[in-house]
Amino acid sequence: MKSYSEWKAQSETLNLKGQAFINGQFQSAVSGETFPSINPSTEKLLTDVASCDEADVNIAVANAREVFKSGVWSEMHPRTRKQIMLKWADLIEQHKDEFALLDTLDMGKSISEMVNIDVPDAIDCFRWTAESIDKVYGEIAPTGHDTLAMIHHSPVGVVGAITPWNYPLMMVSWKIAPALAAGNSVVLKPSEKASLSALRLAELAVEAGIPAGVLNVLPGFGHTAGKALALHMDVNVLAFTGSTKVAGMLMGYAGESNMKRVWLEAGGKSPNLVFADADIKAAASASAAAIFCNQGEVCIACSRLYVDKSIKEEFVAALVEAAATYQPGDPLDPATTMGPMVDGTQLATVDRYIRSAEEEGGQVIMGGAPEYKEGEGFYAKPTIVDGAHNGMTFVKEEIFGPVLAVCEFETEEEAIALANDSQYGLGAAVWTQNLSRAHRVSRKIESGMVWVNTWGEGDSTVPFGGVKASGNGRDKSLHALEKYTDIKNVLIRL
């Protein structure tokens, strides 16, 4: 790990590119419009970014469609496509410090998280997915002796991907790696709050050998570029990570246009169940990480904590001690455990929910409302609110910030009922030393992912996604390839 001064010095040497990347080259938006990329820790301008809209989407999709039909990528030998993507992963690794800095400067994530989590995860995603390219087989159906039925997996065509700002590099990787591995062309709209790493990624894709037009990156806003992409008649699949509200809008746009498939990883309000037989120290440490890492801007953040009443006092004391290690600071300092919120809007959201919690009877036992000073960054405090229950607004709604609701339960059945009393179903954590309970509870929790005696773990081999209002489909693992391929049955009478 480099020192604080080394990261600061390197950050000042970066060549920040904010133009759109279409058909293998950087270019301005058709309108010429831009928007500012602001460093949330200093509130200073990083660079101006192209503000793409429908005109840019039309150009990018047309290029993506043309190159797909040409077969230069979609019909490339799987082994060759694999080697190009492996080279791409090598290039990302060669520039790993640059990618770490881009996301830290662009959205405020701590440099230590970028170096230890985000960048290695992205590299692993590209390498693992690339290695899967020539290992996905077709099938022969068990038909009668006088027919041969073959089942093929074919690329869908043009994939539109819309990614969030909280894990810019990682979330982009989870979307575009399997989409490209399957042979598709991609038009990516990264969040307007964090677009820089996606643009650099596209530049390296061409350097690795991915043909021009196969990957296009259009920075812009959801109501312009995002909506145009979702409504476009030549986009075959839409993949999205973001809020549940926007996810619903995208499903509507798909229905209004060409009934394109829409894969959604939407909001979350993950429960964290701590039973009386849990390892209290381990559970408290992980519970703090589950809400305060990345400033709580985490879709799987365990923001609803349910503790067995018999150990609550002891557990909360251990939790407060663990949470004290998460303090906001300059994200370029490797010692920093919490950077700033992504912008002033998100900071105001955190403030609003903390005040709502207090108004509805919650007791703030750590942290509290932000103390914002103009020009000094959008910093929030790690906040714990005791005396919470499922009827409170801040317990029901996703905050996307470092605010933890502490509730209690008395029986296993009550804990499960409380955990499932939510519109969301993305992640959940269970803490117990009882093996049977671990299986019982994890089976009954309505969630796409359940961690037992841990939180947030998982590499490229395991799927990531949710149920209910948290979405559908899965990122990562071989299941991700299913989102970006069509199953074709070819039956031959012999």
Side-chain angles (χ1 to χ4, degrees):
M1 176 67 73
K2 292 180 178 179
S3 67
Y4 178 39
S5 59
E6 288 174 321
W7 285 119
K8 286 275 289 185
Q10 187 174 348
S11 71
E12 294 168 0
T13 67
L14 292 180
N15 179 20
L16 303 178
K17 297 179 179 179
Q19 290 181 298
F21 194 83
I22 301 175
N23 203 27
Q25 60 185 2
F26 286 105
Q27 52 191 277
S28 300
V30 171
S31 67
E33 294 294 320
T34 62
F35 59 84
S37 172
I38 302 295
N39 183 335
S41 67
T42 64
E43 301 182 47
K44 294 180 180 179
L45 177 70
L46 290 170
T47 189
D48 290 313
V49 179
S51 184
C52 296
D53 57 25
E54 185 177 359
D56 305 281
V57 169
N58 289 338
I59 294 171
V61 172
N63 278 295
R65 173 63 60 188
E66 182 178 358
V67 75
F68 177 78
K69 287 185 174 181
S70 76
V72 65
W73 179 254
S74 59
E75 297 175 12
M76 181 182 285
H77 194 290
R79 189 176 298 116
T80 306
R81 199 158 66 230
K82 178 180 76 171
Q83 292 303 322
I84 291 174
M85 289 194 65
L86 287 173
K87 182 179 179 182
W88 191 12
D90 290 342
L91 288 171
I92 298 168
E93 185 166 33
Q94 290 172 26
H95 295 273
K96 60 184 180 182
D97 286 354
E98 179 185 356
F99 278 106
L101 283 167
L102 285 174
D103 281 2
T104 292
L105 295 174
D106 211 9
M107 63 75 58
K109 183 187 298 287
S110 69
I111 196 72
S112 58
E113 280 198 30
M114 286 302 304
V115 169
N116 294 318
I117 300 174
D118 293 42
V119 175
D121 184 282
I123 295 169
D124 177 66
C125 177
F126 278 104
R127 285 190 175 140
W128 192 92
T129 308
E131 288 289 357
S132 73
I133 291 175
D134 58 359
K135 300 173 183 64
V136 177
Y137 290 81
E139 305 165 62
I140 301 295
T143 57
H145 72 281
D146 54 352
T147 58
L148 175 65
M150 300 173 290
I151 301 170
H152 300 287
H153 300 274
S154 305
V156 296
V158 177
V159 173
I162 301 175
T163 54
W165 48 262
N166 60 326
Y167 286 86
L169 176 65
M170 186 190 295
M171 294 291 102
V172 165
S173 302
W174 288 8
K175 292 288 188 287
I176 69 174
L180 293 171
N184 300 290
S185 297
V186 175
V187 179
L188 167 69
K189 193 209 82 68
S191 170
E192 69 280 2
K193 297 183 181 183
S195 304
L196 301 183
S197 60
L199 291 166
R200 182 66 173 123
L201 199 60
E203 187 177 23
L204 291 183
V206 173
E207 185 177 335
I210 292 180
V214 171
L215 174 60
N216 308 273
V217 181
L218 306 180
F221 294 90
H223 66 277
T224 53
K227 182 177 180 180
L229 195 59
L231 286 168
H232 204 289
M233 297 295 290
D234 244 358
V235 172
N236 303 96
V237 164
L238 192 66
F240 169 78
T241 294
S243 72
T244 296
K245 178 181 178 181
V246 174
M249 294 170 64
L250 295 178
M251 293 182 75
Y253 294 148
E256 290 177 33
S257 53
N258 59 347
M259 294 184 66
K260 58 178 65 67
R261 278 184 279 165
V262 183
W263 300 111
L264 306 166
E265 196 263 273
K269 193 72 180 177
S270 300
N272 188 10
L273 278 56
V274 182
F275 289 92
D277 61 347
D279 180 329
I280 289 181
K281 185 175 181 180
S285 177
S287 296
I291 185 61
F292 300 132
C293 75
N294 200 35
Q295 306 81 250
E297 295 169 327
V298 183
C299 58
I300 57 170
C302 281
S303 52
R304 294 186 293 140
L305 175 63
Y306 300 97
V307 186
D308 190 300
K309 186 176 181 179
S310 65
I311 62 163
K312 183 184 173 187
E313 183 176 348
E314 180 184 2
F315 182 82
V316 169
L319 173 67
V320 170
E321 182 179 351
T325 63
Y326 291 87
Q327 294 300 325
D330 190 331
L332 287 174
D333 186 345
T336 294
T337 50
M338 279 180 58
M341 307 305 294
V342 70
D343 59 17
T345 300
Q346 196 62 28
L347 184 67
T349 297
V350 171
D351 180 84
R352 185 175 73 254
Y353 277 107
I354 292 174
R355 296 184 188 280
S356 167
E358 292 179 304
E359 291 169 1
E360 294 184 8
Q363 298 90 50
V364 175
I365 59 174
M366 179 177 178
E371 298 172 357
Y372 171 70
K373 296 180 181 178
E374 187 174 355
E376 297 184 8
F378 307 113
Y379 289 94
K381 304 173 186 176
T383 299
I384 300 175
V385 182
D386 198 2
H389 57 79
N390 280 16
M392 301 170 77
T393 303
F394 91 112
V395 180
K396 293 186 291 185
E397 299 179 5
E398 184 176 36
I399 302 172
F400 229 59
V403 183
L404 178 63
V406 180
C407 315
E408 62 181 45
F409 66 86
E410 296 188 35
T411 67
E412 181 180 308
E413 293 72 22
E414 183 187 8
I416 294 169
L418 290 170
N420 290 339
D421 181 24
S422 172
Q423 66 169 322
Y424 299 109
L426 187 55
V430 177
W431 296 86
T432 178
Q433 299 299 313
N434 185 313
L435 181 60
S436 294
R437 171 179 283 152
H439 281 288
R440 281 196 309 270
V441 176
S442 60
R443 288 183 180 185
K444 292 181 179 180
I445 289 181
E446 298 166 354
S447 175
M449 299 170 287
V450 179
W451 295 278
V452 179
N453 295 331
T454 185
W455 170 80
E457 288 191 51
D459 56 21
S460 294
T461 65
V462 295
F464 185 103
V467 297
K468 302 197 300 190
S470 290
N472 55 42
R474 295 295 181 266
D475 289 321
K476 304 199 303 177
S477 80
L478 290 177
H479 293 286
L481 294 172
E482 298 169 3
K483 302 196 308 187
Y484 306 113
T485 54
D486 281 324
I487 295 177
K488 179 180 291 186
N489 167 32
V490 178
L491 190 144
I492 303 172
R493 178 157 292 282
L494 304 178

